Coordinates of all heavy atoms in Angstrom, one line a residue:
G12 N 20.6 -19.5 22.0 CA 19.9 -20.7 21.6 C 18.5 -20.7 22.1 O 17.5 -21.0 21.4
P20 N 6.2 -13.0 20.8 CA 5.0 -12.4 20.2 C 5.4 -11.6 18.9 O 6.5 -11.2 18.7 CB 4.7 -11.4 21.3 CG 5.9 -11.2 22.1 CD 6.7 -12.4 22.0
V59 N 8.2 -14.1 0.7 CA 7.7 -12.7 0.8 C 8.7 -11.7 1.2 O 8.8 -10.6 0.6 CB 6.5 -12.7 1.8 CG1 6.0 -11.3 2.1 CG2 5.4 -13.6 1.3
T73 N 6.7 4.2 1.9 CA 5.6 3.9 1.0 C 5.2 2.5 1.1 O 6.1 1.6 1.0 CB 5.9 4.3 -0.5 OG1 6.4 5.6 -0.5 CG2 4.7 4.1 -1.4
R89 N 7.3 -0.1 9.9 CA 6.6 0.3 11.1 C 7.5 0.8 12.2 O 8.7 0.4 12.2 CB 5.8 -1.0 11.6 CG 4.9 -1.6 10.7 CD 3.6 -1.0 10.7 NE 2.6 -1.7 9.9 CZ 1.5 -1.2 9.5 NH1 1.2 0.0 9.8 NH2 0.7 -1.9 8.7
E98 N 7.2 -4.9 8.0 CA 6.1 -5.9 8.2 C 5.3 -6.1 7.0 O 5.0 -5.1 6.3 CB 5.2 -5.4 9.4 CG 4.1 -6.4 9.7 CD 3.2 -5.9 10.8 OE1 2.5 -4.9 10.7 OE2 3.2 -6.6 11.8
V100 N 1.7 -7.9 5.6 CA 0.4 -8.4 6.1 C -0.3 -9.0 4.9 O -0.4 -8.3 3.9 CB -0.4 -7.3 6.8 CG1 -1.8 -7.9 7.3 CG2 0.4 -6.7 8.0
S113 N 16.0 -6.3 12.6 CA 17.5 -6.5 12.9 C 17.6 -7.0 14.3 O 16.7 -7.0 15.1 CB 18.2 -5.2 12.8 OG 17.7 -4.2 13.6

Side-chain angles (χ1 to χ4, degrees):
V59 172
T73 305
R89 303 273 186 197
E98 181 178 62
V100 179
S113 57

